[in-house]
Amino acid sequence: PVEEKKGGRRWLVVLMAAVVLVAGVVTGQLLRPPPEPKVRLVVASSHTFPGQAPTLPWPTAGQSVVYVDGVGTMGSSGGSAPTPTASVAKVMTAYVYLKDHPLRTGEAGPVLTVSPQAAAQIPARKKRGESLLGVTANQRLTQRKALEALLIISANDLAHELARWDSGNEQAFVAKMNAAAKSLGMTGTRYTDPSGYDSGTVSTAADQVKLMRAAMQIPAFTEIVNNRTYVPDGGGPPRQGGNFILGRNGVVAGKTGYTDAAGGNFVFAAHKNVGGAMTLIVGAVMGQKSPSAADAVNSAESVLVAAERALVAAPLARKGDMAAYLDDGLDGRTGLDATSPVTVVGWPGLTVPVRFEGEPPADAEVGDQVGVVNAGAARVPLKVDWVRDPSIVKRLIRLG
């Protein structure tokens, strides 16, 4: 009987140990954090627009490019040999200046004083037929007015003066222009002066599109180039800019350029509402052999209108539709709804990828914003609509 009691206690100890062990394993499994969730798209992972790619009315001379922001290049013509930019170079002058001297919306900025050197150069510049504001020694201009003169009436005197105001001398500023071009991937571009009057300043239509896209991210730049007329401070007659298609066909920005060496050049940006999705179109027409930039502007408008007509939209999800979900691999899911319609924009023959961007959190709660759906030009934030906890059974039997 004594031996039987001892055997019974041993079995009881073993049983209790087994219970403790199982309880520990169960507790450990339940306390383990769930795996990193993976995003599963509910909307299609790409969309192909049916039909043939559009044929645009490219000019017969020079080179041209049209780019749809967030989607890609719709087309190009004329190759990619660097060609003189003329005053289109002033987009880079403004871009570099505003990067180091930002202006808030509507802000006039600091007052700058014109150097005697700039005033002394006016007679020679006039003799060469350069476009000028006509500065005088010690004239005072706000930064915004100086940039307006640069971009609206294409004032060469202000291009060179802005370079001196920024860097102390033109050479140092030109070095900054070239550094900015390199950072933007403008591999066919070289700047030798801040105004573009020097024919050694060369670029390509594709590079100028890269620059214009970057410049359009600066609010002060977009405000300034969306003006037809330069109005001097303190009175004086207003002067018309060269972008005569501003306001037509959605054009919101543009910069003309002309020299004998360059011919006519024009870089532009336009907004187009395509199926409810506001789309930015950027283009450049360079090397038009005409006695002004007018032919470049007219050619650009023809290409732009055709590009806008070719754009089509396809709805992928409505506002409030589940566009994706988070999957933790244990039957736990988190539904992600589109906060606005997901509309993909493109043209016939184009395939646009659709993807999720962001870091999916493991502990998202209802109402949290979690990443975005990127569908070409569309970037739609997603919001958590519901959360389903992982299955207890799957949590218990998980191995990984």
Side-chain angles (χ1 to χ4, degrees), residues 57-59 242-245 248-249 256 264-266 268 285 288 290 292-305:
W58 303 111
N243 182 10
F244 56 81
I245 64 171
R248 296 195 325 224
N249 301 301
T256 58
N265 296 335
F266 184 54
F268 63 90
V285 173
Q288 300 307 293
S290 58
S292 72
D295 280 359
V297 179
N298 287 326
S299 294
E301 185 172 33
S302 297
V303 172
L304 171 64
V305 169

Side-chain angles (χ1 to χ4, degrees), residues 250-331:
V251 174
V252 292
K255 183 69 194 77
T256 58
Y258 174 83
T259 62
D260 290 343
N265 296 335
F266 184 54
V267 59
F268 63 90
H271 284 137
K272 174 69 174 179
N273 187 320
V274 186
M278 191 57 69
T279 305
L280 177 68
I281 305 166
V282 181
V285 173
M286 300 182 70
Q288 300 307 293
K289 301 305 180 184
S290 58
S292 72
D295 280 359
V297 179
N298 287 326
S299 294
E301 185 172 33
S302 297
V303 172
L304 171 64
V305 169
E308 289 179 335
R309 288 174 179 166
L311 288 174
V312 288
L316 300 184
R318 297 168 299 182
K319 179 181 179 180
D321 285 351
M322 187 170 75
Y325 64 89
L326 302 180
D327 183 357
D328 66 6
L330 301 175
D331 269 355

